[in-house]
């Protein structure tokens, strides 16, 4: 099979056989009755008050359950989140976004977005393919251009009293970094934002709408792949097109799925981390002043922001009926892995609900636990550090313009989506 032959057909042209369809459950909407028995991670109240909800559940119901999404569980203790993340015998990663669709069992071990959706033993080899692109040395090369881009964003805010630090600053930084890595046109940024929101926040939307938006994403990726086949260059897309696994070129779905993963996960997570860090500093002038006066504190502060405001919750599917942590999980139940909740477990961290910017020991789980720990952690740290460095150096005085106008994203990535800050 030649490279050109792999990408001649659209990814969604072939009608799947009946046994490949997976299973759908009816969306359940409406307000949450009890977070212990009817939680919804896409509820606006969860988005705004997640830390308080986790603390409540940790006390009275360490592993919550809901009948929504066809049945799902929510552990809130570090110990339980860690145990599930490491247990690949009983929990599958073939789908990692909780919604009303469960893909067919035979999608494992590859999954739709390898390696994050892959189970052992395939996961190890798919992940190994990506490691060279995300080394500290390669990430360091991008720091210079990222810093220059952050300065250009700040330049664009000049003369204004109030700016939205989420949509006018934090959002654009990972979009530009990921576009550069994949070799995508920077002007396509608005499309990337739509792809991210559709994938992560529209999980209760009708099946037909989600399928159509998914097709739009993969149509876009296919166009980029074909352009790279015709015009190879030194970027991650050309690397994936040419990469081999087990002596063969990657399957088309593997190439596109990995690109979708990097596009979606690489943008929303860092956007959220930058916004949450600025949200904290806008409300805590003592921390802001310390970081302005002593930049050497910023490295530990970045780790503390990652711990306290970790944006990512992953999911697993239960492989077979299992007793875990005092509850009976059924095959095909969803299990959310809220790494942010684990990071606020007082059994694991002293002063767990406080942000201590000079915290010395900080073995947080912001980048996940187990075999799926984030392959792009060096890149995310660099983006967050550079974004905060430039902002604090250029805008040392800022505060919340309107606390009630702050809006947090719903779903499995949590961060400010509207963050009006008053400059000066």
């Amino acid at each position: 099979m030649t490279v050109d032959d792999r990408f001649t057909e659209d990814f969604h042209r072939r009608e799947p056989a009946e046994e490949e369809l997976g299973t759908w459950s009816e969306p359940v909407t409406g307000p949450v009755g009890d977070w212990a028995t009817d939680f919804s991670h896409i509820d606006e109240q969860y988005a705004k008050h997640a830390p308080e909800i986790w603390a409540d559940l940790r006390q009275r119901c360490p592993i919550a359950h809901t009948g929504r999404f066809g049945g799902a569980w929510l552990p809130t203790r570090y110990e339980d989140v860690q145990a599930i993340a490491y247990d690949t015998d009983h929990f599958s990663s073939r789908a990692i976004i909780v919604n009303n669709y469960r893909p067919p069992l035979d999608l494992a071990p590859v999954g739709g977005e390898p390696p994050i959706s892959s189970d052992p033993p395939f996961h190890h080899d798919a992940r190994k393919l990506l490691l060279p692109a995300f080394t500290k040395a390669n990430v360091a090369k991008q720091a210079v251009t990222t810093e220059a881009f952050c300065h250009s964003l700040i330049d664009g805010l000049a003369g204004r009293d109030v700016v939205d630090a989420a949509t006018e600053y934090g959002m654009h930084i990972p979009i530009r970094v990921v576009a550069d890595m994949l070799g995508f046109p920077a002007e396509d940024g608005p499309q990337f934002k739509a792809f991210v929101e559709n994938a992560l926040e529209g999980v209760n939307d009708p099946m037909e709408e989600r399928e159509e938006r998914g097709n739009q994403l993969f149509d876009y990726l296919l166009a980029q792949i074909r352009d790279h086949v015709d015009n190879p260059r030194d970027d991650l897309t050309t690397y994936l097109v040419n990469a081999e696994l087990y002596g063969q070129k990657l399957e088309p779905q593997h190439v596109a799925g990995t690109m979708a993963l990097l596009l979606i996960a690489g943008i929303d997570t860092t956007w959220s981390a930058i916004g949450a860090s600025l949200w904290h500093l806008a409300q805590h002038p003592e921390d802001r002043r310390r970081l302005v006066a002593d930049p050497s504190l910023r490295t530990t502060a970045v780790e503390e922001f990652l711990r306290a405001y970790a944006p990512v919750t992953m999911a697993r599917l239960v492989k077979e009926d299992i007793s875990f942590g005092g509850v009976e999980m059924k095959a095909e139940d969803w299990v959310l892995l809220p790494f942010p909740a684990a990071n606020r477990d007082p059994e694991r961290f002293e002063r767990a609900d406080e942000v201590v910017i000079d915290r010395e020991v900080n073995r947080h789980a912001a980048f996940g636990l187990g075999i799926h720990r984030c392959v792009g952690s060096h890149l995310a740290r660099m983006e967050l550090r550079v974004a905060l460095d430039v902002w604090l150096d250029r805008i040392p005085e800022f505060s919340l313009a309107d606390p009630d106008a702050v809006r947090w994203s719903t779903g499995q990535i949590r961060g400010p989506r509207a963050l009006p800050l008053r400059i000066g």
Side-chain angles (χ1 to χ4, degrees), residues 11 92-97 101-119 122 126 214 217-218 221 225 240 251-262 264 317 334 372:
F11 292 117
S92 172
S93 297
R94 77 178 194 274
I96 44 85
I97 301 296
Y101 172 68
R102 289 161 171 76
L105 292 170
D106 60 7
L107 190 64
V110 178
E113 297 83 26
I116 200 170
S117 62
S118 305
D119 291 330
F122 183 85
L217 166 61
F218 280 90
L221 295 175
I225 291 169
L240 289 169
E251 291 293 325
Q253 290 78 10
H254 186 157
V255 175
T258 299
M259 291 168 64
L261 163 65
L262 298 173
I264 293 172
L317 283 167
W334 292 104
H372 288 287

Side-chain angles (χ1 to χ4, degrees), residues 2 46 112 181 271 308 319 353 382:
T2 66
Y46 187 90
M181 286 192 72
W271 171 14
K319 289 186 178 181
D353 277 326
M382 179 277 288

